[in-house]
Amino acid sequence: MAASIFAAVPHSPPVAVFKLTADFREDSDSRKVNLGVGAYRTDEGQPWVLPVVKKVEQMIANDNSLNHEYLPILGLPEFRANASRIALGDDSPAIKEKRVCGGAFSAWVGRCALRIGADFLRRWYNGNNNTATPVYVSTPTWENHNSVFMEAGFKDIRTYHYWDAAKRGLDLQGLLNDMEQAPEFSIFILHACAHNPTGTDPTPEQWKQIAAVMKRRSLFPFFDSAYQGFASGSLDKDAWAVRYFVSEGFELFCAQSFSKNFGLYNERVGNLTVVGKDADNVQRVLSQIEKIVRTTWSNPPSQGARIVATTLASPQLFDEWKGNVKTMADRVLLMRSELPLSTGGPRTPGTWNHITEQIGMFSFTGLNPKQVEYMVKEKHIYLMASGRINMCGLTTKNLDYVAKSIHEAVTKIQ
């Protein structure tokens, strides 16, 4: 028999976070804790369908005027407009001056918004088909940032300083130095809030310093906003950086995801907000984005976008959603405050105040790979090799066990 034409295809390694979840499910130990996957969990360790989402899903099911016709290529118009509105604010000068054009497009979650934005920038930013424009991502960052821009055709992916391992906080000076030395027109991927994986965000004053350098050096900000409202419980606070950059006159992209703040993990709902100098520029950009979308997925799905649009467009539903989001954010903040390591429990070597100082779903614990391995193999606590944990995996029932296990790992394993 002739060899398969696919015989030379190598086997790709599994995606680490999904492999971690699979290992957790196969573990029969009663003490096991999953701190890996990036999804919200209740204090009972269960997924949570937001009450407002259940209500809107029922409304959609009962609406006989809806059908399954194609959407516009750029997506559901009311979703696009409302998504951009919550990112930029009701009083956004960019929206009033029609420099946003009611939003950009509905996509298969924020990752696709990133990819379409990357495809556009490669084709039309800093020259035509300029694959040599440097793209900077933070060290560390969400692993997909590198691959998204590489697959879009960019050849020069660089890193900028972000996490100071010794201080377990932001390396602001290193970040600013990297921006000062970056070639003009370089693209910088910025986390709007709840930095993944560190949970460490710049303060407003630090964001102002970052914006000043980027403006002077003619650097392009591409925000990734996956946790608006989920990080602090406030939509406005979590969008502060994006809105400040817009107020400073930046043209920018902002990829939004509604997986976390709506709990729509498998509906894949995202938006790319484009802010330009004027309406004419934005319309030309959108015409090219429409062309890219047409050859990528042709037409977007409607269900998730309709859930979000219906919720954001109704004052009553919008208020209910904000309450649901605050419920999630408050539980995460509670777990941070009650984790014994951060409240004077076991006298674990090192400093642990970063647990409460960080924000959002994730915390960068500072555990090294050997300590992580000990946690997984000996204590059945599943976390990423980087030491990142999902704070939502902590509950009032497992807090003490996790804290004592971290103490044991740090004191036994160097």
Side-chain angles (χ1 to χ4, degrees):
M1 177 184 288
S4 169
I5 59 173
F6 303 117
V9 177
H11 198 288
S12 178
V15 177
V17 68
F18 288 98
K19 176 64 165 58
L20 196 72
T21 298
D23 292 343
F24 168 80
R25 287 173 177 164
E26 293 176 3
D27 191 338
S28 60
D29 195 287
S30 61
R31 300 170 298 169
K32 68 179 182 178
V33 180
N34 186 1
L35 302 180
V37 69
Y40 179 77
R41 294 291 182 265
T42 65
D43 194 49
E44 290 71 41
Q46 297 301 313
W48 190 48
V49 179
L50 275 59
V52 72
V53 168
K54 284 186 176 181
K55 181 183 294 186
V56 173
E57 285 179 323
Q58 194 60 57
M59 290 170 58
I60 292 172
N62 294 335
D63 188 345
N64 292 325
S65 69
L66 298 178
N67 54 49
H68 296 289
E69 291 295 297
Y70 290 119
L71 297 180
I73 292 175
L74 294 179
L76 198 66
E78 53 267 39
F79 166 74
R80 294 161 47 202
N82 282 291
S84 292
R85 176 178 60 82
I86 67 163
L88 304 183
D90 290 326
D91 59 349
S92 170
I95 292 177
K96 291 179 180 178
E97 296 162 12
K98 298 183 178 180
R99 295 189 287 112
V100 183
C101 198
F105 66 94
S106 54
W108 291 359
V109 88
R111 186 265 179 205
C112 291
L114 279 166
R115 176 58 189 270
I116 294 298
D119 281 340
F120 171 84
L121 292 174
R122 194 263 296 162
R123 286 170 169 83
W124 297 106
Y125 174 73
N126 194 25
N128 294 342
N129 197 30
N130 192 346
T131 62
T133 299
V135 177
Y136 284 79
V137 300
S138 63
T139 304
T141 193
W142 181 49
E143 61 183 15
N144 263 352
H145 282 155
N146 291 279
S147 58
V148 163
F149 282 83
M150 287 178 64
E151 290 179 12
F154 286 98
K155 304 297 185 184
D156 190 1
I157 312 296
R158 306 184 187 185
T159 59
Y160 62 87
H161 286 80
Y162 194 87
W163 173 254
D164 186 326
K167 296 180 180 178
R168 297 187 179 181
L170 179 67
D171 181 4
L172 178 64
Q173 196 54 54
L175 187 160
L176 294 175
N177 288 343
D178 287 340
M179 287 183 167
E180 290 282 9
Q181 296 169 17
E184 287 188 345
F185 307 112
S186 293
I187 299 165
F188 272 74
I189 312 306
L190 305 171
H191 299 233
C193 66
H195 182 274
N196 179 8
T198 70
T200 296
D201 290 348
T203 65
E205 287 305 313
Q206 290 170 335
W207 274 121
K208 289 180 180 180
Q209 294 180 62
I210 292 168
V213 174
M214 292 191 72
K215 180 182 286 189
R216 179 162 43 78
R217 296 289 303 142
S218 299
L219 306 175
F220 185 82
F222 195 146
F223 281 97
D224 186 355
S225 179
Y227 301 94
Q228 188 181 356
F230 191 102
S232 68
S234 165
L235 292 173
D236 295 331
K237 185 176 181 179
D238 292 347
W240 191 92
V242 176
R243 296 176 186 180
Y244 178 75
F245 273 66
V246 172
S247 73
E248 286 294 294
F250 280 89
E251 293 183 287
L252 57 81
F253 283 1
C254 178
Q256 298 165 262
S257 168
F258 293 91
S259 292
K260 307 296 192 298
N261 55 16
F262 267 83
L264 295 172
Y265 300 99
N266 64 10
E267 291 290 354
R268 316 314 290 152
V269 190
N271 183 65
L272 179 67
T273 291
V274 176
V275 179
K277 288 291 185 187
D278 53 53
D280 178 64
N281 275 293
V282 170
Q283 288 298 331
R284 286 186 285 104
V285 169
L286 292 184
S287 73
Q288 292 296 333
I289 286 177
E290 185 175 51
K291 185 176 179 181
I292 296 169
V293 170
R294 177 62 175 163
T295 59
T296 306
W297 57 72
S298 182
N299 204 266
S302 68
Q303 179 69 1
R306 204 177 297 281
I307 292 170
V308 174
T310 303
T311 303
L312 299 184
S314 163
Q316 276 188 316
L317 294 172
F318 183 58
D319 285 343
E320 185 176 348
W321 172 63
K322 287 192 292 185
N324 291 172
V325 174
K326 193 171 188 307
T327 294
M328 294 189 288
D330 286 350
R331 196 184 98 69
V332 174
L333 291 171
L334 179 65
M335 291 299 98
R336 287 190 183 280
S337 66
E338 292 195 355
L339 185 62
L341 284 171
S342 62
T343 54
R347 299 186 63 83
T348 306
T351 175
W352 297 92
N353 58 334
H354 60 287
I355 299 292
T356 52
E357 292 171 354
Q358 292 167 357
I359 193 169
M361 179 174 284
F362 300 116
S363 180
F364 223 43
T365 60
L367 295 177
N368 63 44
K370 288 185 178 180
Q371 291 165 342
V372 169
E373 183 180 16
Y374 179 85
M375 292 280 286
V376 174
K377 291 186 175 180
E378 301 298 328
K379 311 307 291 185
H380 303 270
I381 297 174
Y382 291 80
L383 65 157
M384 299 297 287
S386 63
R388 186 197 81 173
I389 63 173
N390 177 7
M391 299 301 297
C392 305
L394 294 172
T395 69
T396 51
K397 300 177 184 66
N398 66 30
L399 267 172
D400 285 340
Y401 176 65
V402 171
K404 290 174 182 176
S405 297
I406 292 176
H407 174 80
E408 193 174 307
V410 171
T411 53
K412 284 187 174 183
I413 310 297
Q414 301 303 315

